[in-house]
Amino acid sequence: EKWTEANDGMMTIFAEFAACKESGASADSVEAQALVAKLQAHITENYYTCTDEILAGLGKMYVADERLNKNIDKHGEGTAEFASNAIEAYCRK
């Protein structure tokens, strides 16, 4: 049950990334960066300690792994790329 809740929470965050993207916000906007922080905290709370280094790797995987990309893009085409770009900007800071 907890696993399902954690996974649903992740998908909710990706839906928020989709909405952020659709609003016209940029990947380095305050809104998108807040979502990256929320994602990192969610992963840490529910799966494992998500360092900035791990987060950066996940961001790359979201676009490189076709399965992840397809799953994230269920919320809107380009969501995985937007989230990846937001994560990249977050980890550069």
Side-chain angles (χ1 to χ4, degrees):
E1 189 174 299
K2 178 146 173 59
W3 188 256
T4 300
E5 287 177 22
N7 289 336
D8 288 349
M10 283 276 288
M11 294 315 289
T12 298
I13 294 168
F14 286 121
E16 292 175 34
F17 272 111
C20 185
K21 176 184 159 300
E22 288 301 313
S23 77
S26 65
D28 63 351
S29 68
V30 171
E31 298 84 1
Q33 294 303 289
L35 287 173
V36 175
K38 182 176 181 178
L39 177 65
Q40 187 176 34
H42 181 82
I43 293 168
T44 295
E45 290 170 18
N46 293 283
Y47 302 102
Y48 50 81
T49 301
C50 185
T51 64
D52 287 354
E53 183 179 1
I54 290 171
L55 184 64
L58 288 172
K60 291 176 184 172
M61 282 182 21
Y62 294 157
V63 290
D65 186 311
E66 187 177 307
R67 296 165 299 168
L68 289 173
N69 192 307
K70 186 177 180 181
N71 194 39
I72 294 168
D73 276 2
K74 286 179 184 176
H75 298 288
E77 191 169 334
T79 301
E81 183 175 1
F82 181 79
S84 177
N85 291 340
I87 290 168
E88 183 180 346
Y90 182 90
C91 291
R92 276 197 311 258
K93 293 180 181 178

